[in-house]
Amino acid sequence: MEVILFYFCGALMVIAGAMMVLSRNAVVAACWLIFAFINAAGIYATLSAPFLAVLQVLVYAGAIMVLFLFVVMMLQGPVLAGERRRLRPWLWPFLLLPPLAILLTVAGFLRRADNTSFPVAAPAGFGSAEQVAGLLLSRYLLAFELISIVLIVAIIGSLALGKVDRRQPWK
Amino acid sequence: MEITLTHYLVLATLLFLTGMLGFIVRRNAIVMLMCIELMLCAANIVLAAFSRWHLDLGGHVFVLMSFAVAAAEAAIGLAILVEIYRRRRTVNVDELTTLME
């Protein structure tokens, strides 16, 4: 069951990611990304991380992507105009260098790892909201508080950036 | 047939490479932000997979932190893009080559 779910969601996620990069239209790209994030929730489910799976759908596919779609549709005209200038042809071979470096790094790690199979069964309740919250509010309490400051700074920053200056006419 | 850590690492690598190549090739700033989100998602999958491997929930906590950082990054990035669009009427990074108007 887990095997089927992993291959199904994994394949769909890679396809959706590729389609996002390849689609000219930004709205279509955002929709493919939402699809990829929903499949990521399935991947989390196979990792016995139900809480993360729920949050992936709620936060990523829900909140963040709605924000993206909202902005794309607000700036619709030029965003949909597409990108006529492509990368120069002589630059294409250089595109292969960073992927090659990353692939070699991962392959090197996997060659050195002798046993990569998971422990047979996760203990009961592993990854449930109760256990993650217990850890979040005890050992990682400082990080939890700091992340709230990050969010508040982000809220204030985006408010300050988005404020329209009434003295200057809308150009 | 068994799903091992290797499967998850390969999947996350593919996703990360997709996001990275998209970030390099695409010229639309909003789609570039989406590619960053895809790369963050790949990193989250690796964190969750290692968390399962070690049977330690610390990885899950850090995925939560990563969610919060991704949300903050998307909000700030999109606010900057809206402001740039107001001034320059474009979000194509090829045309945004100067800091001044």
Side-chain angles (χ1 to χ4, degrees):
Chain A
M1 183 59 209
E2 275 189 1
V3 178
I4 299 171
L5 190 62
F6 173 82
Y7 280 112
F8 184 72
C9 289
L12 283 182
M13 200 176 168
V14 172
I15 292 172
M19 290 305 290
M20 179 201 74
V21 172
L22 293 177
S23 60
R24 288 283 175 104
N25 189 323
V27 177
V28 177
C31 291
W32 278 115
L33 193 57
I34 292 176
F35 188 55
F37 283 156
I38 290 172
N39 283 304
I43 297 288
Y44 285 134
T46 66
L47 279 168
S48 60
F51 184 50
L52 289 187
V54 172
L55 276 188
Q56 173 80 19
V57 174
L58 277 182
V59 176
Y60 259 112
I64 296 183
M65 290 320 291
V66 165
L67 190 66
F68 267 96
L69 273 177
F70 193 66
V71 171
V72 168
M73 289 176 179
M74 208 161 82
L75 310 183
Q76 204 167 21
V79 171
L80 297 186
E83 303 148 34
R84 279 186 207 85
R85 269 180 62 192
R86 309 303 292 178
L87 216 58
R88 293 177 195 83
W90 62 268
L91 273 172
W92 283 108
F94 291 98
L95 270 187
L96 292 177
L97 287 180
L100 212 60
I102 291 178
L103 281 178
L104 283 179
T105 313
V106 174
F109 171 79
L110 290 176
R111 263 176 62 88
R112 285 198 14 220
D114 40 344
N115 179 21
T116 56
S117 59
F118 286 121
V120 187
F126 181 80
S128 65
E130 188 187 355
Q131 288 201 3
V132 177
L135 205 55
L136 197 63
L137 294 177
S138 58
R139 198 199 291 172
Y140 296 102
L141 184 61
L142 182 64
F144 183 61
E145 294 296 335
L146 286 177
I147 211 73
S148 68
I149 296 179
V150 169
L151 283 176
I152 286 189
V153 169
I155 292 171
I156 297 173
S158 49
L159 273 180
L161 281 168
K163 198 167 134 269
V164 182
D165 195 351
R166 295 285 172 208
R167 283 165 302 178
Q168 288 184 347
W170 178 279
K171 273 185 269 186
Chain B
M1 236 194 14
E2 184 197 11
I3 301 292
T4 61
L5 183 63
T6 312
H7 291 76
Y8 287 99
L9 287 187
V10 170
L11 172 68
T13 310
L14 286 177
L15 287 174
F16 190 89
L17 289 180
T18 312
M20 189 176 69
L21 287 178
F23 186 83
I24 297 173
V25 173
R26 295 302 299 259
R27 301 268 63 97
N28 184 333
I30 293 179
V31 180
M32 288 167 81
L33 267 183
M34 289 184 204
C35 291
I36 296 177
E37 297 290 337
L38 193 65
M39 286 192 272
L40 277 172
C41 192
N44 287 343
I45 287 176
V46 173
L47 276 175
F50 272 102
S51 184
R52 171 78 174 82
W53 196 42
H54 291 295
L55 286 182
D56 180 356
L57 278 173
H60 289 202
V61 174
F62 277 97
V63 173
L64 291 186
M65 302 290 159
S66 168
F67 280 172
V69 170
E73 171 246 322
I76 293 283
L78 289 173
I80 291 176
L81 283 183
V82 170
E83 185 63 23
I84 287 176
Y85 173 72
R86 259 186 215 153
R87 291 167 189 272
R88 310 284 286 272
R89 289 281 155 200
T90 179
V91 287
N92 188 325
V93 290
D94 275 338
E95 296 165 25
L96 300 172
T97 49
T98 54
L99 281 174
M100 48 178 269
E101 289 181 61

